[in-house]
Every structure is written in structure tokens, then in C-alpha cells.
Amino acid sequence: MKIRLYPLILLIVLLLVATSSSHPKETPAAKNRTAPSSKQEPVAAKTLTIFAAASLTEPFNELGYIFETQYPPIKINFSFANSNILSQQILQGAPADVFASAADHFMALAVERGRIDEAGVQTFAYNHLTVIFPINNPANIHALHDLAKPGLKLVIGAKDGPQGFYIESMLTKASKSEGFDPWFKDRVYQNVVSYENSARGVVTKVRLGEADVGIAYQSDASGFAAQELGVLTIPAELNSRVSYTIAPLKDNPRAELANAFAELVLSPAGQAVLTKYGFLLPNQAP
């Protein structure tokens, strides 16, 4: 009887061993390997997202390189566009860490809607408008009055963007000034053949000869572009002061890094980079 039961007992033992090996007991070492997965820093935490006005492309790219060198392995993801577009994206909940605007108005909207703390907003640079044309000056632009010449092909920034506001202000003041007729602004707008999304787009079209003249920021007309462009200075009493502000966004999981980037922009090193690209500093009159 015992002999007959032995194979059956052996089979049961083997099945129990097999079942136990297919579901091994979790050891402390195994727990240590799997538990941290929920606490590991996500890849996104190593990326700092900066929304910045398109006119800041060159200086901010350089500052981004400096920042990444100082804070490895952090990588900066820049989104350069018209400040109006960036502001709307932020108001709609875009996951940006820092906003650098080319107009106080769009920064104020983000503050008003609770996405940015007003106490964190800082002015870091100024700019101003300038008239640009191809170096050979095919339309014979020599004075601001020439922007109203019939048939002139003029390109400017989008009306609902920062440059649009500054140009509207400049033309309105000119139309009310001595030496300009009251219809000067209207006649200038009649010459507009293209509204570009940024001042950089204006520079590109003028450089390519697709327009006789454009209105851009002084910084965009400096550097490499200066060799291909003629520049007409707009009288100070008519010009607009372009103000650049920067601030981290509220409820930012990378607040310390966001503040560090803003501090870099405002530091002597950051201000030197901005100066190199034609921007005016807060302590300078535009």
C-alpha cells in the first residue's frame, strides 16, 4: 500500500515546488529595486520650459547655454513667438516655467488671471522701434514721412502683438505732431503689404527684398542683419519704449530653477549678453 502511494506523494511534492518557484517571494532587495519607480524624477523635471518673445531668440539661446552649463543635467526648452500668442497659451494652461514678454500688457494679463505673481515680475531690458530697408534703398527712404509714399511696400508686426501696439502709438503721435498731416497714420497703414508674427519676420522679408521698408526693433536690425540693412532712426519724441519683463509661473514644480534663470538674465553676465545683441538695459534711457 505504501509503495502504491509513493509515486502520488512524489507528484504532489513536485507540483508544490513548481508552483512556489513560479511565484517567488519578494525579497527586501527586490522591493528596493521596484519601490523607487514611483518616486523617480520624471524626465520633464529635468527640462525647464521658457516662453520668450521672438526678439529674444539670440540672447536667450546664449543664456540658455550658460544656464545648462551651470545646472547640469537641466535642459532648457525655449518657445519663441509673439508675446501675444505666448500669453494666450499661458492663460489656457500651457505648462511653461518662465515667461519673458516684450510688452507689459501681456505680462499683466498673466498676472490678472493668476498664472503669475506680480511680485515676481522684473524688467530686464528695453528696446525701441526703427525703420529698416534693403541696403540699396530701392524706395529712397530718408525720413519717417516717406512711410506714407503711395505704392510703398511696407511690412510690420501683427497688429494684436507687442510691435503692433508700439507702432500704433508711434504713428498716432506722429499724426498729431507738427510736420505730419492728420492722415499720416492712415496712409502708412494703406502701404502695409504684410503683417508678420514677429519683428524678426519683418527683418527677414526686408532682407530678402520682399518689401521696400519695414518697422522692426532696434535689436533685430543689429548684428549680422546690420550688414544687409539700411536703418532710419525714429525721433525719440515719437518712438515707443519697448519694455521686456520676466517672471516664473505660479505653482511651478521647478520654481527654484525658474528663479535661477530669471536671476541669470538680470545678472551682470546676462545683461552683458543682452547688450551684445542690441538691447538697452533697465538703467539706460531708450
Side-chain angles (χ1 to χ4, degrees), residues 234-249:
I234 298 174
E237 64 272 16
L238 302 179
N239 215 329
S240 297
R241 185 174 74 168
V242 181
S243 178
Y244 290 83
T245 53
I246 189 168
L249 271 74

Side-chain angles (χ1 to χ4, degrees), residues 33-67:
R33 287 195 299 269
T34 58
S37 62
S38 62
K39 298 180 180 179
Q40 287 176 349
E41 187 181 60
V43 174
K46 296 181 180 180
T47 301
L48 195 66
T49 301
I50 312 291
F51 278 21
S55 52
L56 294 167
T57 300
E58 280 83 7
F60 267 39
N61 275 331
E62 185 167 333
L63 290 171
Y65 174 78
I66 294 173
F67 189 85

Side-chain angles (χ1 to χ4, degrees), residues 170-209:
M170 182 268 290
L171 294 177
T172 298
K173 285 187 284 188
S175 296
K176 296 177 180 179
S177 300
E178 186 178 352
F180 293 85
D181 64 60
W183 303 278
F184 174 72
K185 180 176 72 172
D186 295 334
R187 290 192 289 117
V188 171
Y189 278 131
Q190 288 173 7
N191 285 335
V192 176
V193 294
S194 177
Y195 289 95
E196 298 298 307
N197 286 329
S198 69
R200 292 172 57 80
V202 173
V203 173
T204 298
K205 287 218 164 180
V206 174
R207 286 179 59 218
L208 294 176

